[in-house]
Amino acid sequence: MGKVGAGGGSPAGLSALLAGAGLLVLCVPGACGGGSCCPQLPPGSAPRWAAPPGGFVGRGPRGRAAATPLPLLGRPLFAVAPGDRALSLERAPGTAASVAMAPRAGRRRRSEAEPGKADRGEGASRSPRGMLRDGGQPGPETLERDPDKATRFRMEELRLTSTTFALTGDSAHNQAMVHWSGHNSSVILILTKLYDYNLGSITESSLWRSTDYGTTYEKLNDKVGLKTILSYLYVCPTNKRKIMLLTDPEIESSLLISSDEGATYQKYRLNFYIQSLLFHPKQEDWILAYSQDQKLYSSAEFGRRWQLIQEGVVPNRFYWSVMGSNKEPDLVHLEARTIDGHSQYLTCRMQNCTEANRNKPFPGYIDPDSLIVQDDYVFVQLTSGGRPHYYVSYRRNAFAQMKLPKYALPKDMHVISTDENQVFAAVQEWNQNDTYNLYISDTRGVYFTLALENVQSSRGPEGNIMIDLYEVAGIKGMFLANKKIDNQVKTFITYNKGRDWRLLQAPDTDLRGDPVHCLLPYCSLHLHLKVSENPYTSGIIASRDTAPSIIVASGNIGSELSDSDISMFVSSDAGNTWRQIFEEEHSVLYLDQGGVLVAMKHTSLPIRHLWLSFDEGRSWSKYSFTSIPLFVDGVLGEPGEETLIMTVFGHFSHRSEWQLVKVDYKSIFDRRCAEEDYRPWQLHSQGEACIMGAKRVYKKRKSERKCMQGKYAGAMESEPCVCTEADFDCDYGYERHSNGQCLPAFWFNPSSLSKDCSLGQSYLNSTGYRKVVSNNCTDGVREQYTAKPQKCPGKAPRGLRIVTADGKLTAEQGHNVTLMVQLEEGDVQRTLIQVDFGDGVAVSYVNLSSMEDGIKHVYHNVGIFRVTVQVDNGLGSDSAVLYLHVTCPLEHVHLSLPFVTTKNKEVNATAVLWPSQVGTLTYVWWYGNNTEPLITLEGSISFKFTSEGMNTITVQVSAGNAILQDTKSIAVYEEFRSLRLSFSPNLDDYNPDIPEWRRDISRVIKKSLVEATGVPGEHILVAVLPGLPTAAELFVLPYQDPTGESKRSAEDLEQISELLIHKLNQNSVHFELKPGVQILVHAAHLTAAPLVDLTPTHSGSAMLMLLSVVFVGLAVFVIYKFKRRVALPSPPSPSTQPGDSSLRLQRARHATPPSTPKRGSAGAQFAI
């Protein structure tokens, strides 16, 4: 879930706002191959209404200061609204400054020397392309020109009062950040930097300060340190006198702090690198700092001291408390990652964020990068079953799942706004790719209804999702949106928060007064609302709170929105009618609370004049602001209400210093406006005066008066309207039909709204309608359409479910598991609930309200447990079952199998686990040349190898989300010999009993055997066995050379075996483990149990042979015992001495399991 990038959020242009810090950034495009050369945006600096790819993002906290330039959202180009104070500029080295306002590729542009027909007010008429006549069919022009409706341009060039100051010595600097305090302050700060794009770092910086509104500047490098390189400038949003400068972390990590608007500074060292800052919305000294290593710090002294709050914080997912919703102003909301990579929502106090003092408002984990804290709402996302689920907390109450229409099945969701106690969200449903549906909620943000379908979306410059939606400033409930219909994008407008939408009526005439025949719905006006990836192309739209009726935007007239033939349009009656004001793109600045419009042309050439309009765009006068044409990099309007000063930033050539042109507009006004200079204007929608349940009348300055307004007066009066059906939208689960009625959707059961109430209580029974939030209408049909209180009916329990809090079917041994009991309907207050956990423990509850936080239980054993819940309220009963898999973490897997086996004989392989009891497991076996694995639920398998050679066996054990594996090799031969080895007792003192040690010792033993016997190493395989005392298995193998011509026979193997036994019995095999530690290798008396299961098949002939052997053995035994009774004992014959291999060699296929040898015995027995 994310926060959308709405067109209203970002007009294309040269300005960008560092949100909340009052910093604007200008980046010149083209210097880095067509795009902006601004440094990469860091996490934590996402602009308002911009959603990063994936994740759940909201509008973001007010007062966030980002550490890098950001696109300006929701502001007119070149403009700074009250509260925004600074501009940052960027110029590319070695490129002409004309790229600062580069023309659109493929678009024909007029030069300043030839302003064009529109500028001259003469020339042949031209109908904008795309206009349709006669019901949508192109046709000849039949209407006459109306000169009174033409936009008038006064070509006489007037002069504005201005001064120019050059930042001498900074000609190489290609970035600048500007802060203007405003509120009648004359202080301006400018930080210029040389950003090396090859190195990706800042190599030089200069700090300038003006105390006379920008007439002159003083260089302050000596006050901050001549060798100090500054990277960013921050401003406290609640006290503009407090300034913070950040040094380049590649040289030093420090802060320079000023409390006197940048006159003096104090330097403070940092032990971390700041990536982004978040200022408190009320307390001027409280700051949160996010470091590059994902740690969050807090300061209560404006950066002079810092304290660590939390490690592993997700970028851009930390928030200050919201006043009114949180009792503690120092409460911090954050999303943090756990050691195992999960995300969780935490809250704590800024100065006391220990483990014991942290709270987890949402039970369990949440999806990564999904926490939003915005106004009265907190949002999180949790994916289960492959589907995202969204949860909301209103005014910090318990979380509830957000309810969209049942079959919306969202793939992605972005919060647009939470203004006026309502959530506006954009949802991409399962069948959408490049469009989103707009939904609007009830007050709690739980139940959502559709506002508009198929709104166009695109990718922003940082890969963010941008929605073509614009919220008009100054008029609540008014939005513009670009909707996709049959592969055509059209612009729609609403005045009641999406309850009703309509197309924009195109102007009656064009720029010169020529008639435009454009009939709805075949032809209309379409506006660019989205952020352009190149901030110097189309996409401009502007409105202002202090000028609620005026909207300026770029667009075209026709059947759909087009990227060609773009013109500039203005509406002075809140979108009811429009006028064309320019044939080419201009940037528009609101001056004097919107009483004057300032337009500057987008051009690749230097300019020295601009256009002013005192009558809401009906006529324009040409004014020069500099005597020498200037390549304009950006414009900053003074944020105060009394002074009328604008600063134009640019340069005369790409090698010149920054030129700062201070333009004072006071001279264009005759006087300050009086009451008689205003006229009333009523807000309306196509003649309908009731907007959002009220009639509003505003004051407008009369167009012929050139007086200065000063402070914004606001609406003259507001009168509530009588409620009508138009003031009500369809309630959740209802849909509006063609007759205008709201009827239940096929999937919705209206009686389900009473499921949470009990007998004797009341609930609100919906009429199918709900009043639009913030609508102020009274009386009328309000009583008829408002939900009615109704007594809760007595209902038997139905739809009982029991689930885990995180939606999983697994739990960990020894840890709390939270079980949630959910009941679709029934009398919940007088209900008996019995829960049996399946492990011999059961509990009972008297009502569901006592189980709102879930039932916690700890399982002490692993296994599959049958959890049952039984509900009974006297009217009926219901039950539900959950099969819960309780596991413990699997730590180690060891594959046990023989080192060598014979061909065509079954081999047993066993996966040995630690711990041995971990719950339900799945085993995946890979062996031999098989391309497909064998999957079992058992930890051992048997298999055969039909050919000789080395083979690899791999077992993977899946336990929950963990998968461990072990791999072993096994040699397969027709026949071989094996012998158990033992060692000097001192070897056990150095045996850590780990696989790596056993492999190394095996290699050393083999080397010793080869040196002592001269037997080629290809015939010998040594494997040290796990455990103590230390033992090993020696294998004699029938080595075959690569040509296949030379292969050892059974007799050869016997000779090698005799030689090895002889050397072992003579103590000739030894090695040095470490200096002074000698290890002697012995041959053990007997081998251990056979390494390979060689039991023959029980055929009839085999059984007869076995019986014969048994009888012969019994006879020999009887004779032997008889002879022992009559004969005296005698010394053993040399031929039967222990260690004589002639009596100990047997065929392995007839061997019986021997006993375990004693350490140090000199005897030996080979198994063949």
Side-chain angles (χ1 to χ4, degrees):
M1 184 171 184
K3 179 181 171 180
V4 300
S10 180
L14 306 177
S15 304
L17 175 65
L18 285 175
L23 298 179
L24 289 179
V25 179
L26 174 65
C27 303
V28 175
C32 300
S36 170
C37 290
C38 294
Q40 181 70 25
L41 298 181
S45 60
R48 185 172 188 260
W49 288 19
F56 178 5
V57 187
R59 180 184 62 201
R62 295 180 177 88
R64 178 179 296 282
T68 55
L70 299 178
L72 172 62
L73 298 176
R75 308 292 185 194
L77 179 63
F78 297 138
V80 176
D84 301 325
R85 303 293 182 256
L87 175 72
S88 277
L89 309 118
E90 182 171 353
R91 189 171 45 158
T95 59
S98 60
V99 298
M101 293 196 297
R104 188 176 190 81
R107 295 267 317 276
R108 177 175 174 266
R109 296 281 180 164
R110 299 185 180 94
S111 67
E112 284 301 308
E114 183 187 3
K117 298 176 183 177
D119 293 347
R120 296 192 301 268
E122 59 185 11
S125 64
R126 181 178 72 89
S127 296
R129 286 172 289 178
M131 297 182 184
L132 301 181
R133 304 172 177 84
D134 300 330
Q137 299 298 323
E141 192 64 71
T142 58
L143 301 177
E144 297 181 358
R145 175 184 299 179
D146 186 351
D148 293 335
K149 293 185 178 181
T151 301
R152 298 182 298 275
F153 291 88
R154 180 181 177 182
M155 299 309 297
E156 176 188 356
E157 186 172 300
L158 305 175
R159 176 73 182 176
L160 290 168
T161 303
S162 64
T163 59
T164 302
F165 186 87
L167 301 183
T168 306
D170 289 354
S171 60
H173 291 193
N174 51 13
Q175 292 182 355
M177 304 181 72
V178 187
H179 163 67
W180 196 341
S181 292
H183 296 292
N184 298 321
S185 172
S186 60
V187 174
I188 301 177
L189 287 173
I190 300 179
L191 171 63
T192 65
K193 302 176 288 184
L194 174 59
Y195 184 84
D196 191 313
Y197 299 106
N198 295 321
L199 298 177
S201 61
I202 301 168
T203 57
E204 293 180 15
S205 68
S206 296
L207 183 64
W208 301 80
R209 185 173 186 264
S210 172
T211 58
D212 53 10
Y213 292 103
T215 303
T216 60
Y217 289 85
E218 176 190 4
K219 199 169 187 177
L220 303 181
N221 283 27
D222 56 337
K223 294 187 178 182
V224 299
L226 293 175
K227 295 184 178 181
T228 300
I229 297 180
L230 304 175
S231 58
Y232 291 104
L233 184 154
Y234 296 90
V235 183
C236 176
T238 54
N239 184 352
K240 304 299 180 181
R241 295 181 59 84
K242 291 191 174 183
I243 309 295
M244 182 181 293
L245 296 171
L246 181 63
T247 62
D248 186 1
E250 294 190 6
I251 298 178
E252 63 173 326
S253 184
S254 300
L255 286 176
L256 287 92
I257 297 174
S258 172
S259 299
D260 52 10
E261 288 189 284
T264 59
Y265 291 91
Q266 291 178 307
K267 196 171 188 178
Y268 296 88
R269 297 281 184 179
L270 296 174
N271 58 2
F272 61 96
Y273 299 114
I274 293 179
Q275 181 167 313
S276 62
L277 295 179
L278 180 61
F279 293 92
H280 194 277
K282 298 294 183 180
Q283 300 291 333
E284 62 185 52
D285 289 334
W286 293 4
I287 308 174
L288 296 178
Y290 186 75
S291 67
Q292 295 181 2
D293 56 354
Q294 299 187 341
K295 295 179 181 178
L296 186 64
Y297 296 84
S298 68
S299 174
E301 303 176 51
F302 199 72
R304 293 174 176 84
R305 292 183 180 87
W306 295 91
Q307 179 176 329
L308 178 65
I309 292 181
Q310 176 70 33
E311 298 183 359
V313 178
V314 177
N316 204 32
R317 301 299 177 184
F318 51 93
Y319 309 85
W320 283 112
S321 62
V322 177
M323 305 307 293
S325 294
N326 293 107
K327 297 180 180 179
E328 305 90 355
D330 62 341
L331 191 69
V332 178
H333 303 257
L334 58 92
E335 178 183 333
R337 290 193 178 96
T338 61
I339 297 176
D340 54 0
H342 293 98
S343 288
Q344 55 185 355
Y345 168 31
L346 304 176
T347 61
C348 63
R349 309 288 287 271
M350 63 176 290
Q351 297 293 326
N352 188 19
C353 199
T354 61
E355 182 69 30
N357 293 308
R358 294 180 194 139
N359 294 317
K360 298 179 181 179
F362 186 82
Y365 298 126
I366 63 176
D367 285 357
D369 200 30
S370 72
L371 173 66
I372 298 175
V373 181
Q374 187 167 305
D375 297 327
D376 287 334
Y377 301 90
V378 179
F379 304 92
V380 296
Q381 176 179 318
L382 179 63
T383 299
S384 63
R387 293 182 183 177
H389 301 279
Y390 308 103
Y391 294 84
V392 61
S393 168
Y394 177 62
R395 293 185 175 175
R396 308 305 180 261
N397 291 314
F399 278 88
Q401 186 170 348
M402 299 164 65
K403 302 290 187 181
L404 293 167
K406 186 174 182 179
Y407 296 106
L409 304 179
K411 296 189 296 185
D412 190 22
M413 178 185 288
H414 302 287
V415 174
I416 295 175
S417 74
T418 53
D419 298 334
E420 299 175 338
N421 295 321
Q422 190 174 38
V423 180
F424 209 4
V427 177
Q428 187 171 63
E429 300 185 10
W430 64 274
N431 57 350
Q432 293 179 306
N433 293 317
D434 59 350
T435 60
Y436 280 73
N437 290 347
L438 297 181
Y439 283 89
I440 198 162
S441 79
D442 61 350
T443 300
R444 294 191 304 131
V446 175
Y447 293 100
F448 285 78
T449 56
L450 182 65
L452 184 65
E453 291 183 298
N454 296 320
V455 178
Q456 181 71 12
S457 69
S458 60
R459 289 282 178 181
E462 300 300 326
N464 298 338
I465 298 295
M466 311 302 295
I467 306 296
D468 277 15
L469 179 70
Y470 182 81
E471 183 176 7
V472 179
I475 303 177
K476 66 178 181 179
M478 184 175 176
F479 290 84
L480 292 162
N482 284 331
K483 179 179 179 179
K484 193 172 185 180
I485 305 175
D486 297 329
N487 292 322
Q488 289 186 327
V489 178
K490 301 174 183 288
T491 302
F492 287 78
I493 190 171
T494 180
Y495 293 85
N496 52 11
K497 267 196 171 180
R499 197 278 189 192
D500 301 291
W501 297 84
R502 63 173 175 82
L503 293 166
L504 295 180
Q505 176 65 59
D508 295 333
T509 61
D510 65 6
L511 193 66
R512 287 162 296 280
D514 293 331
V516 175
H517 196 108
C518 181
L519 298 180
L520 295 172
Y522 310 102
C523 172
S524 59
L525 175 64
H526 310 285
L527 304 178
H528 288 275
L529 308 177
K530 64 183 179 182
V531 180
S532 175
E533 186 168 346
N534 181 348
Y536 310 101
T537 60
S538 61
I540 305 168
I541 183 167
S543 60
R544 192 164 178 175
D545 290 330
T546 56
S549 64
I550 302 175
I551 309 171
V552 182
S554 66
N556 64 280
I557 300 173
S559 60
E560 64 177 322
L561 183 66
S562 172
D563 287 329
S564 61
D565 197 38
I566 298 175
S567 300
M568 297 297 299
F569 298 89
V570 65
S571 174
S572 57
D573 56 5
N576 287 280
T577 61
W578 296 80
R579 292 187 305 278
Q580 185 181 11
I581 54 175
F582 296 105
E583 286 185 327
E584 294 177 310
E585 292 176 67
H586 284 64
S587 302
V588 178
L589 171 69
Y590 286 68
L591 192 66
D592 188 31
Q593 311 301 340
V596 179
L597 298 179
V598 181
M600 187 174 292
K601 185 179 179 181
H602 278 186
T603 178
S604 59
L605 301 174
I607 60 175
R608 62 182 185 87
H609 76 265
L610 45 76
W611 297 90
L612 296 181
S613 175
F614 292 86
D615 53 8
E616 300 173 341
R618 293 179 179 85
S619 62
W620 296 84
S621 299
K622 190 175 184 179
Y623 285 80
S624 64
F625 62 90
T626 177
S627 58
I628 303 175
L630 184 74
F631 290 103
V632 176
D633 294 325
V635 181
L636 178 64
E638 198 277 330
E641 297 174 341
E642 300 298 326
T643 57
L644 297 168
I645 297 174
M646 182 176 74
T647 301
V648 181
F649 302 86
H651 46 284
F652 297 134
S653 70
H654 70 273
R655 297 182 182 276
S656 68
E657 293 88 357
W658 292 98
Q659 303 293 326
L660 279 66
V661 181
K662 171 189 170 184
V663 183
D664 194 336
Y665 289 93
K666 290 180 182 178
S667 60
I668 67 175
F669 296 102
D670 300 331
R671 54 185 170 80
R672 188 175 292 275
C673 293
E675 189 65 30
E676 59 270 15
D677 295 313
Y678 293 93
R679 62 179 178 88
W681 174 79
Q682 185 172 55
L683 174 66
H684 67 95
S685 171
Q686 299 298 301
E688 175 57 53
C690 286
I691 303 294
M692 294 291 287
K695 296 178 181 179
R696 291 180 178 84
V697 178
Y698 296 84
K699 286 199 309 183
K700 275 193 175 187
R701 194 190 62 191
K702 296 177 181 178
S703 60
E704 66 273 13
R705 307 293 172 87
K706 289 190 176 181
C707 56
M708 184 175 67
Q709 295 189 104
K711 294 183 178 181
Y712 173 57
M716 290 177 57
E717 59 184 39
S718 178
E719 177 186 347
C721 297
V722 175
C723 292
T724 65
E725 187 270 343
D727 297 305
F728 291 81
D729 205 350
C730 290
D731 204 351
Y732 173 77
Y734 291 81
E735 297 173 337
R736 191 176 301 279
H737 288 242
S738 56
N739 60 1
Q741 287 186 317
C742 294
L743 300 176
F746 74 94
W747 50 266
F748 181 67
N749 178 15
S751 65
S752 64
L753 295 177
S754 63
K755 68 180 183 180
D756 293 329
C757 70
S758 302
L759 189 64
Q761 296 182 340
S762 299
Y763 74 100
L764 291 178
N765 187 17
S766 175
T767 62
Y769 299 84
R770 70 182 184 196
K771 194 168 76 167
V772 175
V773 175
S774 301
N775 188 294
N776 296 321
C777 73
T778 60
D779 300 329
V781 300
R782 184 177 65 173
E783 182 66 23
Q784 175 186 347
Y785 280 30
T786 301
K788 306 296 190 300
Q790 186 169 326
K791 292 292 184 181
C792 296
K795 291 184 178 181
R798 187 179 69 83
L800 181 65
R801 294 178 62 222
I802 181 167
V803 297
T804 58
D806 57 6
K808 298 179 180 179
L809 297 176
T810 60
E812 192 171 328
Q813 177 190 12
H815 289 72
N816 266 322
V817 57
T818 303
L819 299 172
M820 310 295 294
V821 176
Q822 301 170 351
L823 187 63
E824 185 173 332
E825 65 177 39
D827 187 353
V828 298
Q829 294 300 322
R830 298 190 300 178
T831 300
L832 176 64
I833 303 102
Q834 295 177 326
V835 181
D836 188 339
F837 297 103
D839 61 349
V841 179
V843 294
S844 297
Y845 297 88
V846 294
N847 57 64
L848 281 178
S849 61
S850 60
M851 305 164 57
E852 289 181 351
D853 296 331
I855 308 169
K856 291 181 170 55
H857 185 65
V858 176
Y859 286 90
H860 298 286
N861 298 306
V862 300
I864 303 176
F865 294 88
R866 187 176 187 267
V867 185
T868 60
V869 57
Q870 179 81 21
V871 175
D872 191 337
N873 67 356
L875 300 174
S877 62
D878 198 2
S879 61
V881 176
L882 171 68
Y883 294 96
L884 187 65
H885 294 243
V886 178
T887 64
C888 67
L890 180 61
E891 299 179 14
H892 179 69
V893 174
H894 169 72
L895 179 58
S896 175
L897 77 163
F899 301 100
V900 184
T901 186
T902 55
K903 187 172 64 173
N904 293 322
K905 296 298 180 181
E906 281 196 346
V907 177
N908 292 325
T910 301
V912 181
L913 310 180
W914 177 259
S916 59
Q917 298 295 325
V918 294
T920 306
L921 301 173
T922 302
Y923 299 83
V924 182
W925 305 86
W926 305 80
Y927 59 92
N929 295 322
N930 293 357
T931 57
E932 296 294 333
L934 175 64
I935 301 176
T936 69
L937 297 178
E938 299 295 333
S940 62
I941 61 170
S942 298
F943 48 88
K944 297 179 181 179
F945 293 103
T946 58
S947 60
E948 294 184 281
M950 296 298 296
N951 291 274
T952 299
I953 313 292
T954 297
V955 61
Q956 294 178 328
V957 183
S958 174
N961 295 327
I963 298 179
L964 277 70
Q965 77 171 32
D966 191 18
T967 300
K968 295 292 173 58
S969 295
I970 183 172
V972 181
Y973 293 100
E974 187 74 34
E975 56 182 345
F976 62 89
R977 305 292 189 274
S978 67
L979 175 66
R980 180 63 61 89
L981 302 178
S982 59
F983 306 92
S984 304
N986 58 343
L987 182 59
D988 291 347
D989 298 334
Y990 302 95
N991 184 356
D993 197 22
I994 59 175
E996 294 88 342
W997 185 88
R998 291 193 290 269
R999 284 195 296 268
D1000 289 339
I1001 294 297
S1002 297
R1003 187 177 64 254
V1004 172
I1005 297 170
K1006 178 179 177 179
K1007 181 181 178 182
S1008 301
L1009 287 168
V1010 170
E1011 292 175 351
T1013 61
V1015 176
E1018 293 82 359
H1019 288 291
I1020 297 176
L1021 175 64
V1022 178
V1024 176
L1025 304 177
L1028 294 173
T1030 308
E1033 197 74 24
L1034 168 62
F1035 298 93
V1036 181
L1037 307 176
Y1039 171 72
Q1040 183 175 0
D1041 62 25
T1043 63
E1045 296 180 356
S1046 176
K1047 183 177 180 180
R1048 296 286 184 175
S1049 63
E1051 291 75 13
D1052 295 332
L1053 295 181
E1054 291 178 0
Q1055 292 177 5
I1056 296 174
S1057 302
E1058 293 175 356
L1059 176 59
L1060 289 170
I1061 292 174
H1062 179 70
K1063 291 294 184 181
L1064 289 168
N1065 290 339
Q1066 290 184 339
N1067 295 332
S1068 300
V1069 182
H1070 53 81
F1071 60 90
E1072 187 177 48
L1073 184 65
K1074 58 186 299 185
V1077 180
Q1078 288 288 330
I1079 305 299
L1080 189 63
V1081 184
H1082 306 284
H1085 269 300
L1086 303 171
T1087 61
L1091 299 178
V1092 185
D1093 184 6
L1094 300 175
T1095 305
T1097 305
H1098 298 288
S1099 63
S1101 58
M1103 291 298 294
L1104 290 174
M1105 182 179 295
L1106 179 61
L1107 290 173
S1108 301
V1109 172
V1110 170
F1111 283 122
V1112 171
L1114 287 174
V1116 172
F1117 176 75
V1118 172
I1119 296 171
Y1120 171 76
K1121 296 293 285 183
F1122 177 76
K1123 292 179 66 177
R1124 290 273 296 179
R1125 289 181 180 180
V1126 299
L1128 292 174
S1130 60
S1133 170
S1135 62
T1136 60
Q1137 288 291 327
D1140 189 344
S1141 61
S1142 62
L1143 295 183
R1144 299 299 181 186
L1145 290 174
Q1146 306 176 42
R1147 290 288 179 183
R1149 64 194 63 177
H1150 299 300
T1152 57
S1155 59
T1156 303
K1158 296 181 180 179
R1159 177 182 296 276
S1161 60
Q1165 177 180 351
F1166 265 100
I1168 303 176

